[in-house]
Structure formats: structure tokens, C-alpha cells
Amino acid sequence: MPHPRRPRRSADTTPGLAARRAALRLLDAVLRRGEPLELALHAASQGLADRADRAMVHAIAAETLRHLPDLDALIDAATPQIIPHDAKARMVLRIALVQVLVLGTAPHAAIATALPLVDGGPRKLVHGVFGTVTRGEPVLQNPPTLPAEVAERWAGQWGEGMPLAAAHAYAVRPPIDLSLRDPEETAMWAERLGGDSFAAGHVRLPDMPNVPQLPGFADGAWWVQDLAASCPARLLGTGEGRHVLDLCAAPGGKTMQLAAAGWRVTAIDQSKKRLERLHDNLRRTSLAAEIVQADLREWTPDAPVDAVLLDAPCTATGIYRRHPDVLHRIGPRQIAELAELQTSLLARAGQWVKPGGTLVYATCSLERVEGEDQAARFLAENADFSLLPATDGELPQGILPLAGTVRTLPDALAKEGGTDGFFIARFVHG
């Protein structure tokens, strides 16, 4: 009597396959539709209840984007006919290879969850290329290769050495910086958390802990904020009850800095969801601010104020270490569109500053058109404003003013873990 056949396992029941399908959707959203990785993650991960699966989706997509040029070089070297860059087969190979080369997945497990992703497609091609690459015991470039158009753009703006510095920064996990509610407690918190401090009110953690479990988090003694991102509010100093507008404020790092420094803060942002995070952060830190949900292109204050901080919407190329998708989503068109918006918002913000008051403009961008060019245009069109240079004592160790403004590039504090890329200009009215 013949033995009954064992039922064939449905491809959809392969362990880990659902997470790989979600990673494929997420990468498609980023690379084909230009959606930000973090925003697209929720939709791509629908149906994944396990937090570990969602974390795996993010890890696969983020590391694929970080190493995309080098993954493609391995794929292209393993096949005589180039697979189109938008083909599903190439994307599936990227996902499979990044698991083996970065995330430590065994090759047999990686290909087992890869082949079902091309059901009805070139399974033999994917299997063959994957085998050819992995049998060669490949390693990815270290530091990772930047997308060619990004490297060319940054070299043109900052010099030939900048892309290499950016690549080295790309290869290192960004540190966790904390801003303290009470700068006078800096030494205490640095010792208690085992971190280093580069400025009053700052602690850099030595590793990657579970942040909510650290001492001081639940009590609101500090919040996570990159060192460079803390500089715009630092340039406004102590408030002594004066009124400041924090524009594009959510999720609230600068709002909390300003409130802790004694400013009467009105925080404005267009995003309801992001403002909910700002509410939560203020509640946790026991700091106060008036919160307004509004579009800055339509909103105006009742009267001019003592200071305005405009952390303008930008390409976010300065935070590429944490968000590798920006290097693949952002090009000349997006840069030009955001620069136009920044020019408009900066002109409006200038109208809201009292005579004698201060305007700080900032972007987390490594594009001159979003930084230096904006400051130059604003001064050329507003003769009643002048640049107020930062002094060494106002900035953290290792961040230096340059030509009256502040610019952090990928080589800033490189030995200490680096910083995000930022531009900051401080203007005084009258």
C-alpha cells in the first residue's frame, strides 16, 4: 500500500515569509513611490502582530537601503545579463543578500523566504544568482558606498573629501544624545548614566540601551535629542519669561529646551499626530508650552514676539545615518521644492519678530540651498536684519561657528560618534 503523500506546505506558511513580504512592500514604497521609510512602515507591516516581526521588516529595509549600491554590485557581477533595477527579482535578491551579509541569517533560511516572493516569476534566476554570490564568500564594502548622485552632489558643495567622510559616518551606528531639563545636573546625570558630556545640559550615552528603562526617563529629567539638533535652541539662551514661537515644533525637543530655559513658548506644527507626541513629551517632563495646530503659510501670531525659532521642513539629508531612505528618495526636484517652501516660511517668520528680537533658522540638511543660500537670500531681502554669529561658549565642544553661521558636516565629532548634519543661522532684528 503506497504511503500517503505529505501535504505540501503552502508558501505563505513558511516561517518568516510574512515579514519578508512586508519588507518587499516597504522597499517598493520607498524606492518606487518615494515615501519616507518610517511613514511607510505602518502600512507595509499591516497584519504583523509580533513586534519582533515588525522590527525585522524595518531592519531588512533599512539595511538594504544603506548598502544598496554594494548589493547591486554583487548582483551585477553574478549574472551576464543585467537585471533591471526596478525588477522584483533584483529587489528580492537584495533582501536575501542583506540578511546573509548584514543581519546574520543563514543562506538556506534567506533563500527559503526569498523564492516564494517571486512565485510566478524567475525563481531559477534568483536562486542561481543568490547561489553564485554566496558561494563566493562576499563581503560588503566598509564603509558603504553612497549613491553616485549623492556623492557627486555633496562633493560639488563641500569638496571631494566630504563623501568619504559621509560614508564613514554612515557605517557607524549613531550615538544616543540626551538633553537635560536642568543643565546644572549635567555632571550628576553623566556619572549616573555612564555617559560623556560635550555641553551643559547634554549627555552622550556609551551604548544603545533600552531608553525608557533608564533612570530619569519616567521622571522627565531628560529626552533624546541629537547634539546638533540641540544647538538652535541653545543660540536663544535663557528666556526670562520672554515669548518665543517654536515653528514646526513637533515632536518637541526644542520646545522642551526653550521651556526649560525660561521662555514662554508657543509651539506650532501642522501635524496632529506629531503634536500628540509633543503633548506626551511635555507631560512627561512637566514643562509647559502653548500648542497650536496650524499651517504656517496661513497662520499669524496676534503680535510680534521676542524670538522665533524656525526649524524648517527640509530634505532631512543631514539625518541620513538614521534614515538611509533619504539618500534614495531625495533628488534635485525635492530639494528645489523644499527650498522654495523654506524661503516663504523664513520671510513670514521674520515679520513676527519684534525690533531687537532674535530669529533662529535651522534645517537638518546637508544641502547648501537649504542652509547657507537661504540665509544669504534672507539678509539680502531684509535690510533690517543682521547676522548674529554664534560664539564658542554657546556651542557644544567640537561644534564651531563658521562664517557667522553653524554648519555640522559628517566629520564633526567623528571620533566621538559624530552628529547629525545641521545648518543654523541667528539673525537679530534692527
Side-chain angles (χ1 to χ4, degrees), residues 376-389:
R377 180 183 294 108
F378 178 78
L379 289 172
E381 296 175 355
N382 294 272
D384 51 343
F385 278 86
S386 58
L387 197 63
L388 181 59

Side-chain angles (χ1 to χ4, degrees), residues 194-212:
D196 297 314
S197 178
F198 303 143
H202 166 262
V203 173
R204 174 163 287 185
L205 300 182
D207 50 28
M208 297 294 159
N210 185 345
V211 169

Side-chain angles (χ1 to χ4, degrees), residues 132-387:
T132 299
V133 173
T134 53
R135 284 193 297 272
E137 299 183 357
V139 292
L140 291 172
Q141 292 291 324
N142 187 19
T145 303
L146 298 181
E149 60 274 17
V150 175
E152 182 179 356
R153 188 174 74 237
W154 285 353
Q157 295 180 71
W158 307 110
E160 292 298 325
M162 190 277 205
L164 181 59
H168 279 289
Y170 207 22
V172 179
R173 191 171 185 179
I176 293 179
D177 291 317
L178 308 180
S179 288
L180 307 182
R181 185 177 57 199
D182 185 353
E184 293 187 2
E185 296 181 342
T186 302
M188 183 272 287
W189 280 113
E191 180 178 1
R192 190 172 179 186
L193 297 171
D196 297 314
S197 178
F198 303 143
H202 166 262
V203 173
R204 174 163 287 185
L205 300 182
D207 50 28
M208 297 294 159
N210 185 345
V211 169
Q213 300 302 316
L214 290 177
F217 177 83
D219 299 330
W222 47 260
W223 53 92
V224 175
Q225 184 180 34
D226 185 82
L227 182 63
S230 74
C231 291
R234 290 178 181 276
L235 294 188
L236 286 176
T238 56
E240 300 174 342
R242 291 176 294 162
H243 190 190
V244 61
L245 302 180
D246 184 10
L247 309 181
C248 309
K254 298 173 184 64
T255 297
M256 291 183 286
Q257 281 183 278
L258 295 168
W263 289 90
R264 179 166 62 90
V265 186
T266 300
I268 304 100
D269 200 281
Q270 188 174 2
S271 170
K272 180 180 179 181
K273 186 173 183 179
R274 286 167 58 84
L275 283 176
E276 290 173 357
R277 290 181 59 195
L278 193 155
H279 273 288
D280 291 342
N281 284 328
L282 290 174
R283 188 180 305 112
R284 181 174 63 84
T285 56
S286 300
L287 294 168
E290 178 189 4
I291 297 176
V292 177
Q293 182 184 354
D295 185 335
L296 291 175
R297 292 167 294 186
E298 301 171 358
W299 180 87
T300 57
D302 295 332
V305 296
D306 300 291
V308 173
L309 194 164
L310 171 59
D311 188 1
C314 70
T315 58
T317 51
I319 56 175
Y320 72 99
R321 298 180 304 162
R322 307 172 199 275
H323 302 281
D325 55 299
V326 301
L327 299 188
H328 304 281
R329 293 189 298 105
I330 298 301
R333 178 176 62 83
Q334 292 85 358
I335 295 171
E337 289 174 353
L338 283 160
E340 184 178 355
L341 175 61
Q342 292 152 10
T343 299
S344 172
L345 294 181
L346 186 52
R348 288 181 64 79
Q351 299 171 9
W352 303 340
V353 181
K354 289 180 180 178
T358 306
L359 168 63
V360 170
Y361 170 80
T363 57
C364 56
S365 169
L366 286 168
E367 315 302 329
R368 281 186 178 273
V369 70
E370 297 186 273
E372 288 80 357
D373 293 355
Q374 291 291 346
R377 180 183 294 108
F378 178 78
L379 289 172
E381 296 175 355
N382 294 272
D384 51 343
F385 278 86
S386 58
L387 197 63

Side-chain angles (χ1 to χ4, degrees), residues 26 37-47 54 273:
L26 181 53
L37 178 68
E38 303 299 332
L39 293 181
L41 177 62
H42 177 73
S45 301
Q46 288 295 303
R54 295 172 68 89
K273 186 173 183 179

